[in-house]
Amino acid sequence: MSEKEDLAKQKAEAAAKAKAVALARKKAKEEAAENPEGEIDLAKQKAAAAAKAKAAALAKKQAKAETAEKPEGEMDIAKQKAEAAAKAKAAALAKKQAKAETAENPEGEIDLAKQKAAAAAKAKAAALARKQTKAEAAENPEGEMDIAKQKAAAAAKAKAAALAKKQAKEETVEKPESEMNIAKQKAAAAAKAKAAALARKQAKEVAAENPEGDMDAVKQKAAAAAKAKAAAAAKAKAAAAAKNRTAVQESEEVDTPSEISPNQSKLDQIVSAIESHVGQGALLENYINRLSKDVPTLVANPDTYFSIAKFLRYDEQLDFSYLSELHGTDFESHMEIYVHLHSFKMNQSVALKVKLDRDTPVIPSLVPLWSGANWPECEAYDLLGINFSEHPDLKRILLGEDWKGYPLRKDYEPYDVEV
């Protein structure tokens, strides 16, 4: 068929459309003149329905003709134009009907009409979206389907958010303050539920997409974060316990009994000798330790600790030549060194103790007096971090030199999270 014949057909179809429209208008005017006011709306509706039917029939006829004449490449463009024209006509008709209903309906019915119109618009939009999705699913390959789904989901979310905002504004104007709070709470709960569901979905997608190597990295990060939290909690508990606890003192563990210890006279002798040769303030405290075989116990001042030990070692009357034990203890409020000595001449043991500052525990070494103090002092240094000045070879004997921290401290946390 030639181009001139196509043009002639189009002109003829346009003339037929114009005649049909003019005839419809003429009939509408005649019916408006003949019918009473109550029947005008019905006549308008019938005329509009007839015009729609004619327009639809004519559109179908044109579509069939174009389908027969046009190749497949032009059919998609024609369909899209037809759909766009139909949408425009439907929107214009909906606006016209809404205006007419607004003029006719009283104020009480306007809200109901708006709600119905909004519901109808939502239904049409949903149906159109489903139709478009199906069409895209048929046309797009598998690789493009995910992108189309994501775009459709994003568009749906945007529409839902806009609608929710609009409804929230309307409810804000209509509802009192007491109902507004309830509405806000419900909205917040719904938002939280959606966020949680989205997070779970994303986690599943990440788990499905990530290879095993990435999953191990994610697990390690989560484990490290959990360990860091546990370490922080442990530190907080340790600090609280240190504040609430009082200093532990062995002198307060046992009340002085009514019966005098057989070692009391020896303790008095030792204390008197120390005060005479070292000084009156050399000892902070002295007592009989009932829990340790009534051993006389001396608590030295850190400044006089070495002087007292030297006097006990070399005094001819006392002669505490044997060091049987030396160890350190963390009492959280302070550090403490305990030394157990024995005198074969007196056939008597004595305990020498000294309290140290926990942050900087430094005390003179007893190796120059008793060579047996060498390894016990290294052990206290290794496990508690107590520094013995003038020690001949102070080093870690159980742990390596690169070890971080001191395991016998109450607040110790492993440097290596896997330990």
Side-chain angles (χ1 to χ4, degrees):
M1 187 179 288
S2 63
E3 294 181 357
K4 292 182 179 180
E5 290 178 354
D6 290 340
L7 183 60
K9 276 187 178 182
Q10 291 177 1
K11 288 182 179 180
E13 289 173 358
K17 285 182 184 179
K19 287 181 181 180
V21 173
L23 183 60
R25 288 179 180 174
K26 185 176 179 182
K27 285 182 180 180
K29 288 181 181 179
E30 291 175 356
E31 289 175 356
E34 293 175 1
N35 290 332
E37 293 181 359
E39 297 177 0
I40 290 175
D41 293 336
L42 183 59
K44 285 183 179 179
Q45 293 175 0
K46 288 181 179 180
K52 286 182 185 178
K54 288 180 181 180
L58 183 60
K60 287 181 181 179
K61 186 176 179 180
Q62 289 177 353
K64 288 181 180 179
E66 291 175 355
T67 303
E69 294 174 2
K70 293 180 179 179
E72 292 182 358
E74 297 177 2
M75 280 300 292
D76 293 336
I77 299 172
K79 283 183 180 179
Q80 292 176 1
K81 289 182 179 179
E83 288 178 0
K87 288 180 184 177
K89 288 181 181 179
L93 181 61
K95 288 181 180 178
K96 186 176 179 182
Q97 289 179 353
K99 289 181 180 179
E101 290 175 357
T102 303
E104 294 175 2
N105 290 332
E107 293 182 358
E109 297 177 0
I110 289 176
D111 294 335
L112 183 60
K114 285 183 179 179
Q115 293 175 1
K116 289 182 179 179
K122 286 181 188 177
K124 288 181 181 179
L128 181 61
R130 286 195 294 270
K131 186 176 180 181
Q132 290 177 351
T133 303
K134 289 181 180 178
E136 291 175 356
E139 295 174 2
N140 291 332
E142 291 182 359
E144 297 176 2
M145 280 300 293
D146 294 336
I147 299 173
K149 285 182 180 179
Q150 291 175 2
K151 289 182 179 179
K157 286 181 181 178
K159 289 181 181 178
L163 181 61
K165 287 181 181 178
K166 186 176 179 182
Q167 289 179 351
K169 288 181 181 179
E170 293 176 356
E171 290 175 355
T172 302
V173 176
E174 295 175 0
K175 291 181 179 180
E177 293 183 359
S178 60
E179 295 180 3
M180 280 298 295
N181 293 330
I182 298 172
K184 285 182 180 179
Q185 292 174 1
K186 289 182 179 178
K192 286 182 182 178
K194 288 182 181 179
L198 181 60
R200 286 195 294 270
K201 185 177 179 181
Q202 289 177 349
K204 289 182 180 178
E205 291 175 356
V206 171
E209 293 174 2
N210 286 334
E212 292 182 359
D214 294 341
M215 284 301 293
D216 292 338
V218 172
K219 286 182 180 179
Q220 290 175 2
K221 288 181 180 179
K227 287 180 181 178
K229 289 183 181 179
K235 283 184 180 179
K237 287 182 180 179
K243 289 180 181 179
N244 294 331
R245 292 179 187 176
T246 57
V248 177
Q249 296 181 354
E250 289 184 1
S251 61
E252 297 176 358
E253 290 180 357
V254 180
D255 295 334
T256 303
S258 57
E259 184 180 353
I260 298 176
S261 171
N263 291 331
Q264 185 64 48
S265 60
K266 294 182 179 179
L267 174 62
D268 295 339
Q269 178 187 351
I270 295 170
V271 170
S272 176
I274 292 173
E275 290 179 347
S276 299
H277 291 81
V278 180
Q280 291 292 330
L283 291 174
L284 297 178
E285 188 179 1
N286 63 87
Y287 58 91
I288 297 294
N289 190 347
R290 294 282 184 173
L291 298 179
S292 183
K293 299 180 181 180
D294 284 9
V295 61
T297 303
L298 308 172
V299 181
N301 190 315
D303 297 333
T304 58
Y305 166 73
F306 185 81
S307 299
I308 293 173
K310 185 176 180 180
F311 176 75
L312 294 173
R313 170 69 179 86
Y314 293 112
D315 182 74
E316 294 181 356
Q317 299 297 325
L318 303 179
D319 192 19
F320 286 93
S321 59
Y322 178 61
L323 184 147
S324 62
E325 182 181 354
L326 186 151
H327 66 264
T329 306
D330 180 11
F331 286 97
E332 293 187 325
S333 59
H334 64 279
M335 293 284 186
E336 185 175 279
I337 295 294
Y338 178 91
V339 182
H340 194 88
L341 304 172
H342 185 77
S343 171
F344 294 99
K345 180 180 287 188
M346 294 179 63
N347 192 23
Q348 179 63 45
S349 295
V350 67
L352 176 63
K353 298 169 66 174
V354 61
K355 296 179 181 179
L356 308 176
D357 179 50
R358 193 173 185 276
D359 295 330
T360 55
V362 180
I363 198 71
S365 172
L366 297 183
V367 175
L369 305 178
W370 295 277
S371 59
N374 189 341
W375 282 82
E377 288 183 350
C378 287
E379 183 182 33
Y381 165 74
D382 192 6
L383 302 179
L384 288 166
I386 299 174
N387 193 352
F388 295 89
S389 59
E390 298 182 8
H391 189 284
D393 186 21
L394 190 64
K395 61 183 179 180
R396 297 194 112 147
I397 58 175
L398 300 176
L399 306 174
E401 290 295 336
D402 58 344
W403 189 275
K404 305 295 181 182
Y406 305 99
L408 288 188
R409 287 200 174 205
K410 298 295 178 64
D411 58 352
Y412 172 73
E413 292 176 8
Y415 178 76
D416 187 351
V417 294
E418 297 299 329
V419 175

